[in-house]
Amino acid sequence: GAGVSQSPSNKVTEKGKDVELRCDPISGHTALYWYRQSLGQGLEFLIYFQGNSAPDKSGLPSDRFSAERTGGSVSTLTIQRTQQEDSAVYLCASSLLDVNYNEQFFGPGTRLTVL
Amino acid sequence: GENVEQHPSTLSVQEGDSAVIKCTYSDSASNYFPWYKQELGKRPQLIIDIRSNVGEKKDQRIAVTLNKTAKHFSLHITETQPEDSAVYFCAATLSGSARQLTFGSGTQLTVLP
């Protein structure tokens, strides 16, 4: 079956503009995660969704960042009033939660450049 | 929360030699420890994982060891090949929970031909 997909693959925007990044998880995966990877750095957790539960937003760096997951499937990460320090690759991952199985499958990422 | 430390940050080895990457974690409740490989410009991909009920797991040239008492785990790559060159990330989480993976900072492995 299809893996995790993300769009757009690249996004260039001007400082102060809003951007929306989309993630389509693997069908049937109940958990969805957003991470951020700055150049040459590790993966920084942003937010995750689990089924219909309230999302864990503890990793969001500021109130300019928000995310939604509609119908338990597609997710959108929104960054308002973008800043240059928001430039990074934004990775989405999904997993099928099970007591014994927790592999997270990553999408290809969206490379965001804020000029 | 969980904190994962990884070292070294860079590692160069000659083709055919072994490579070892080490990680420590802080939360004793973590029981699932995956390793991801990320080639340049590509997504991270799981290469091996280990759960806290075992001390070692091997898959061909790759092995992972876990010392739960000391809260550290290591990735071992034997007979390295140029295609092993990539960034490797360790991570920790609680299996079966919705907790996010906490990643180490990554190790850039370069295998010299």
Side-chain angles (χ1 to χ4, degrees):
Chain A
V4 178
S5 61
Q6 292 185 244
S7 62
S9 56
N10 282 283
K11 177 71 176 178
V12 180
T13 189
E14 294 179 346
K15 178 182 174 181
K17 295 288 181 66
D18 298 351
V19 296
E20 284 190 352
L21 313 179
R22 177 188 169 103
C23 172
D24 284 85
I26 294 172
S27 177
H29 280 192
T30 56
L32 186 148
Y33 308 79
W34 284 97
Y35 296 89
R36 177 169 71 175
Q37 186 173 32
S38 301
L39 186 63
Q41 301 297 312
L43 288 85
E44 174 191 5
F45 164 73
L46 297 177
I47 186 171
Y48 77 70
F49 298 86
Q50 159 55 7
N52 295 321
S53 301
D56 178 350
K57 304 179 182 180
S58 60
L60 295 179
S62 78
D63 59 7
R64 297 186 294 105
F65 288 72
S66 62
E68 293 184 340
R69 188 180 185 189
T70 55
S73 181
V74 172
S75 177
T76 301
L77 177 68
T78 301
I79 309 174
Q80 296 178 311
R81 305 181 303 282
T82 52
Q83 303 295 313
Q84 289 183 334
E85 60 263 30
D86 299 335
S87 296
V89 175
Y90 289 81
L91 289 160
C92 172
S94 70
S95 77
L96 178 61
L97 281 187
D98 181 84
V99 177
N100 297 312
Y101 186 76
N102 209 40
E103 179 179 357
Q104 293 188 19
F105 294 84
F106 283 85
T110 294
R111 181 175 298 278
L112 174 66
T113 303
V114 182
L115 302 177
Chain B
E2 177 67 277
N3 181 50
V4 177
E5 295 189 355
Q6 181 174 349
H7 59 94
S9 57
T10 60
L11 178 61
S12 293
V13 298
Q14 290 295 134
E15 182 177 359
D17 287 350
S18 296
V20 180
I21 302 170
K22 299 182 179 182
C23 290
T24 60
Y25 62 99
S26 62
D27 190 345
S28 57
S30 291
N31 63 355
Y32 175 67
F33 308 93
W35 286 88
Y36 284 81
K37 176 183 180 182
Q38 187 176 30
E39 297 177 1
L40 188 63
K42 297 190 176 180
R43 73 189 77 187
Q45 292 197 307
L46 181 74
I47 56 170
I48 195 168
D49 55 18
I50 192 168
R51 301 181 189 279
S52 58
N53 57 344
V54 298
E56 183 173 358
K57 183 177 178 180
K58 189 173 182 180
D59 182 4
Q60 299 183 341
R61 297 186 297 108
I62 296 174
V64 57
T65 58
L66 171 66
N67 183 326
K68 198 177 180 187
T69 301
K71 291 189 284 189
H72 66 71
F73 56 112
S74 301
L75 177 71
H76 304 252
I77 306 174
T78 59
E79 301 172 23
T80 53
Q81 301 168 3
E83 53 265 37
D84 294 331
S85 295
V87 178
Y88 291 81
F89 293 97
C90 63
T93 191
L94 182 61
S95 177
S97 78
R99 272 174 47 178
Q100 74 281 5
L101 287 171
T102 299
F103 285 87
S105 53
T107 297
Q108 172 70 62
L109 174 65
T110 302
V111 179
L112 304 170

